Amino acid sequence: MNDWTNYDPCRRISNTDTYDGAVSQVIRLSNDDLLLFYHQSDIGHVAPDGRIVMRRSTDDGQTWSDQRTIHDEPTRDIIDPSVTYHASSERIVLFDTAFGFAESVTSPADLETLPARKNFDTYMLSSTDMGRSWSEPTKMTTHLLGDQIIPFGGGVETEAGLLSFFYSLEHDIQALVSENGGDTWNRHIFVTDSPTGRELCEPVPCVITKDRCLLFGRDNQTGDFYAIKSTDGGLTWGEPVFFNPTEATNPRPIWVTKTGPNRLTAVWGDRDNQYISAVTT
């Protein structure tokens, strides 16, 4: 176990009057640049002015560029950026979600009643020049099962190709596979339904070897986390196994990465006490 006594303190990238950072993700490019993607809004975490923005760091995260808007629409929230990077082709693929609202939302107070969402779409954008320019958004809704599909957790490369993961508001987990470095995503994989009494969401993949990978996420009903294993590069998956090291009842998403030849590190937050927990195994 790592005692977690040596780590850098949190630093604020910038001071703004906006709601920044929801579902953020960082990727490292082959030239060692870091790209940070996140949702931003002037109103709140889920709001019709939401957009996906990006910042770049060329000094390992010590300083960051001004933000740049990657995807925006005038009347729908663009949220849930999930980024896949294919190093050999330098292609970056961004999946996100767009939806509108059944009621007017113009201030944070309007969000307290959780207005109904409508007009869901899942989009893909890509860049082949290290994030300097981006394609126009392409609807991916017909590639996935269900009407309200949310990308999450980024993508991984296995022996099957590139995999990017999604969950639906019906609480199932799905994946899309690209066999050409992220240019097209025509193979669909159904990972799992939620067991009775569970609401699986926010899948985060972790590759152990080219054929062995794990998928971690959160159960929105109980507060437990889940892990699902694949031994064929993500083409088929086992049953979810549930765990809860800190007995959290309202956790934030769990992020897991391989930090050594035989070591995984998981990090998650707790909405009830604002703690950040980490465990290495």
Side-chain angles (χ1 to χ4, degrees):
M1 296 286 289
N2 190 320
D3 61 7
W4 289 92
T5 56
N6 297 312
Y7 56 88
D8 292 333
C10 294
R11 294 185 296 111
R12 186 183 296 273
I13 292 176
S14 64
N15 292 308
T16 70
D17 294 326
T18 53
Y19 294 83
D20 296 351
V23 199
S24 55
Q25 187 180 347
V26 176
I27 62 170
R28 184 182 293 274
L29 305 181
S30 59
N31 66 352
D32 279 337
D33 281 7
L34 299 177
L35 299 185
L36 168 63
F37 299 82
Y38 57 97
H39 171 265
Q40 183 183 72
S41 166
D42 298 326
I43 300 175
H45 168 56
V46 178
D49 68 335
R51 53 205 172 261
I52 304 301
V53 298
M54 183 191 82
R55 293 178 185 264
R56 183 187 302 268
S57 175
T58 59
D59 56 7
D60 211 28
Q62 295 302 307
T63 61
W64 294 86
S65 69
D66 291 338
Q67 70 180 27
R68 174 187 172 193
T69 299
I70 303 299
H71 189 193
D72 191 15
E73 287 189 19
T75 60
R76 291 202 294 176
D77 192 12
I78 312 297
I79 196 169
D80 300 311
S82 181
V83 186
T84 301
Y85 176 53
H86 187 244
S88 60
S89 67
E90 299 290 0
R91 180 178 282 108
I92 308 166
V93 179
L94 167 66
F95 292 97
D96 59 28
T97 305
F99 54 81
F101 293 86
E103 306 166 32
S104 175
V105 177
T106 59
S107 72
D110 295 331
L111 295 173
E112 293 178 1
T113 58
L114 297 176
R117 307 174 192 181
K118 65 178 184 178
N119 301 331
F120 264 78
D121 284 307
T122 303
Y123 284 97
M124 182 191 76
L125 302 82
S126 63
S127 171
T128 56
D129 57 5
M130 295 191 173
R132 295 178 178 85
S133 63
W134 291 84
S135 67
E136 291 297 315
T138 300
K139 281 187 182 182
M140 301 296 290
T141 309
T142 58
H143 291 64
L144 297 156
L145 298 178
D147 297 325
Q148 300 180 29
I149 308 296
I150 300 170
F152 200 89
V156 292
E157 185 172 7
T158 73
E159 64 180 11
L162 289 183
L163 281 78
S164 193
F165 293 86
F166 307 78
Y167 69 98
S168 78
L169 294 188
E170 287 77 37
H171 310 297
D172 56 57
I173 309 297
Q174 309 176 33
L176 290 178
V177 182
S178 173
E179 298 173 347
N180 54 12
D183 187 23
T184 57
W185 299 76
N186 294 324
R187 185 168 186 174
H188 176 270
I189 293 172
F190 190 87
V191 176
T192 187
D193 271 321
S194 289
T196 302
R198 304 263 186 186
E199 295 180 359
L200 305 191
C201 63
E202 298 167 350
V204 175
C206 180
V207 171
I208 310 302
T209 62
K210 283 294 185 180
D211 62 346
R212 184 168 174 254
C213 48
L214 296 167
L215 194 63
F216 295 88
R218 184 173 63 88
D219 174 8
N220 197 47
Q221 186 69 26
T222 68
D224 291 340
F225 298 114
Y226 65 84
I228 311 174
K229 182 171 68 174
S230 172
T231 57
D232 58 6
L235 297 179
T236 61
W237 295 84
E239 295 297 319
V241 175
F242 296 94
F243 62 101
N244 196 336
T246 59
E247 299 183 355
T249 58
N250 192 18
R252 296 182 183 275
I254 184 170
W255 293 87
V256 182
T257 188
K258 187 178 179 182
T259 52
N262 297 298
R263 184 174 63 191
L264 297 180
T265 299
V267 179
W268 67 93
D270 191 323
R271 291 179 174 90
D272 289 336
N273 56 33
Q274 299 304 311
Y275 291 163
I276 302 296
S277 299
V279 62
T280 296
T281 182

